[in-house]
Amino acid sequence: MSFSYDIELYLPTALHGAGSQTESLGVCKIITRNVFVTVTEHNGDAHLVLLDEMTELDRTQPRYVTVIGKTVFPRRVDLPSKIFVETAAGQARAINGDQIARIVRQGGDSRGTGRISF
Amino acid sequence: MSEPKTRFILASASPRRTEILTTLGLDFDVRVPDVDERQLPGESPQQYVMRAAVAKVRAVVNGYRAGVVIGADTVVVIDGQPLGKPGDAADAKRMLRALGGRWHAVMTGVAVQRIETGDEAVDFEKTLVRFRDLGDEEIEAYIATGEPVDKAGAYAIQGRGMLFVTEIAGNYQNVVGLPVPLLDRLVRQIGANLRSGEE
């Protein structure tokens, strides 16, 4: 199942993190399959979470919300180096994972995929 | 010793072509070429898709020093006339009415260029597709989904448009927009290999 996401990118000149400037790419479909997000906890432990298991990911905080509504505040979250998306205009575009500031799932039932891995 | 990794560049804005290369496991970039996609007078559909594919490759090749650039262009052909992307809803309706209850051809021109050597190869693939009879009401409902926009022939076989297809003769990926066996052959012709671009 593919979801649509509202994606915000860091402005190229902006510093990453809280208070940094972003621009909206609009609602996009993710073309790349199985996008794994690396989540680093405050104790240094890192694990992988599928983007499909998140309804919201905010790298400026950093913070993410799982499909069962749990909000997690890890030390950092990293996306893959390259993700392909289909923009609202129907064009393919490659995005560097570091460019992504915020990503919010749009529409559909956001709960209960039954694949929580942590 | 393992083969050196090849960088691939897809000269196309098509999300479906991006998806096919992603499925192949290739590490590649996407560059959207700025080319005039209009058919020239007297040009056959085959000549047209191959010329457009080459034009896309050449439009993006300057930005790179090494790798393989892939370009492709797809048209739907019925009664010898190519159907490109519909300009508006009325155009999409006209196209879908023409396709209902009949066989049509889908042609994709594929061009590749190896940047280091300038070697280029181009060819086209043809697949026949048969639609069942289509009523105006379902055509209008399909157009209202927004799917026909930006699709050659105003339908997507990988989307809701699959409901219209009763038979297909030839390569399925060609109808989606990128015939992989042809791409594989052309890439080999210029001395590269799709497997050397795997992530």
Side-chain angles (χ1 to χ4, degrees):
Chain A
M1 185 173 180
S2 77
F3 298 101
S4 292
Y5 295 88
D6 193 356
I7 299 175
E8 268 183 53
L9 303 178
Y10 286 114
L11 288 176
T13 53
L15 293 172
H16 292 195
S20 59
Q21 289 184 297
T22 61
E23 62 176 344
S24 176
L25 185 62
V27 177
C28 302
K29 286 181 193 154
I30 307 271
I31 296 172
T32 305
R33 288 173 193 168
N34 298 330
V35 176
F36 283 101
V37 180
T38 307
V39 177
T40 308
E41 303 296 350
H42 290 277
N43 64 4
D45 287 351
H47 54 258
L48 296 172
V49 183
L50 263 175
L51 185 60
D52 286 2
E53 293 172 350
M54 300 178 176
T55 57
E56 194 178 338
L57 185 159
D58 187 345
R59 294 182 65 233
T60 66
Q61 302 283 332
R63 171 181 68 92
Y64 65 93
V65 182
T66 72
V67 290
I68 56 166
K70 180 180 168 188
T71 304
V72 185
F73 294 88
R75 185 198 292 171
R76 60 180 291 167
V77 287
D78 294 294
L79 285 136
S81 59
K82 197 188 291 174
I83 300 168
F84 293 107
V85 300
E86 177 178 347
T87 65
Q91 295 210 326
R93 178 169 168 171
I95 303 176
N96 186 318
D98 272 356
Q99 284 179 274
I100 294 175
R102 218 173 274 120
I103 183 164
V104 182
R105 190 185 294 181
Q106 300 294 301
D109 182 5
S110 63
R111 295 173 70 92
T113 63
R115 289 193 290 120
I116 302 301
S117 58
F118 55 93
Chain B
M1 205 170 81
S2 65
E3 211 173 335
K5 199 167 166 141
T6 304
R7 179 184 199 180
F8 285 89
I9 302 108
L10 176 63
S12 170
S14 161
R16 302 292 85 78
R17 294 189 185 116
T18 300
E19 198 168 351
I20 289 171
L21 292 190
T22 302
T23 305
L24 286 173
L26 285 189
D27 181 17
F28 65 102
D29 286 335
V30 172
R31 284 281 304 278
V32 179
D34 184 15
V35 295
D36 185 353
E37 294 191 23
R38 280 176 299 188
Q39 189 179 14
L40 299 175
E43 201 174 32
S44 70
Q46 297 95 306
Q47 289 169 326
Y48 167 49
V49 290
M50 288 195 288
R51 179 182 56 79
V54 169
K56 287 178 180 180
V57 165
R58 292 179 183 169
V60 308
V61 80
N62 285 337
Y64 297 90
R65 295 171 68 181
V68 172
V69 182
I70 300 167
D73 197 77
T74 302
V75 292
V76 166
V77 183
I78 191 157
D79 298 328
Q81 296 301 311
L83 304 179
K85 296 166 187 168
D88 52 28
D91 204 18
K93 189 171 181 179
R94 179 186 62 79
M95 289 182 183
L96 291 165
R97 271 181 169 165
L99 298 175
R102 300 180 60 192
W103 283 95
H104 62 267
V106 179
M107 289 185 191
T108 301
V110 179
V112 295
Q113 184 183 129
R114 189 165 190 172
I115 299 166
E116 299 93 315
T117 61
D119 289 348
E120 212 168 62
V122 60
D123 205 345
F124 75 99
E125 182 74 54
K126 179 177 170 181
T127 301
L128 299 176
V129 180
R130 187 181 188 182
F131 269 23
R132 63 172 169 76
D133 291 330
L134 301 179
D136 275 357
E137 202 172 303
E138 64 182 329
I139 287 175
E140 281 159 18
Y142 180 55
I143 291 168
T145 66
E147 191 173 277
V149 182
D150 276 342
K151 310 285 188 315
Y155 75 95
I157 196 168
Q158 74 283 356
R160 294 178 177 93
M162 70 174 72
L163 288 167
F164 305 152
V165 177
T166 56
E167 267 182 276
I168 173 169
N171 183 273
Y172 169 79
Q173 292 143 350
N174 181 43
V175 189
V176 180
L178 190 62
V180 173
L182 172 61
L183 173 66
D184 188 38
R185 177 167 65 78
L186 295 176
V187 167
R188 285 169 194 272
Q189 276 177 12
I190 58 168
N193 191 325
L194 286 177
R195 279 184 200 87
S196 65
E198 285 174 4
E199 283 184 296

